[in-house]
Amino acid sequence: MADGPESVDGTDMEQIKIVLNTLYLCIAFAMTHIAKHEGAQAAVDFKAKLLSALKSGDLNMALMEETKSFDFVIEKIEALGEPEA
């Protein structure tokens, strides 16, 4: 599923917003899960490595093609609070 681009043809903007918000909440959930099972520092390390992979293009080079999209994604990930243990 993550190997190729997913078409959003015919998808309205409200549905896209719901999906993006859900994915953001999934990342926050993952950080909390990591903190509970591996410790808060492991969650902090996960976030740092995620940001590094995004900024270097290791996760998705296409994100780097448009500054506005890149900045939005990085800002959202950086805004994730400290994980709840």
Side-chain angles (χ1 to χ4, degrees):
M1 183 179 208
D3 293 335
E6 296 296 322
S7 174
V8 293
D9 294 343
T11 305
D12 67 12
M13 188 54 68
E14 190 61 33
Q15 190 174 10
I16 291 171
K17 287 179 182 179
I18 290 169
V19 169
L20 289 175
N21 284 331
T22 301
L23 291 172
Y24 182 73
L25 292 171
C26 287
I27 295 169
F29 179 87
M31 288 183 57
T32 299
H33 178 82
I34 293 167
K36 285 181 181 177
H37 296 280
E38 298 180 34
Q41 187 58 51
V44 170
D45 293 344
F46 166 77
K47 180 179 170 181
K49 288 178 183 176
L50 176 61
L51 282 167
S52 176
L54 284 167
K55 290 177 179 180
S56 68
D58 288 347
L59 287 180
N60 186 354
M61 288 293 288
L63 179 64
M64 302 177 84
E65 293 176 8
E66 185 180 321
T67 303
K68 186 176 179 179
S69 296
F70 178 83
D71 291 344
F72 175 76
V73 171
I74 297 300
E75 179 182 307
K76 293 297 283 182
I77 299 302
E78 287 177 339
L80 286 168
E82 292 297 314
E84 298 174 16

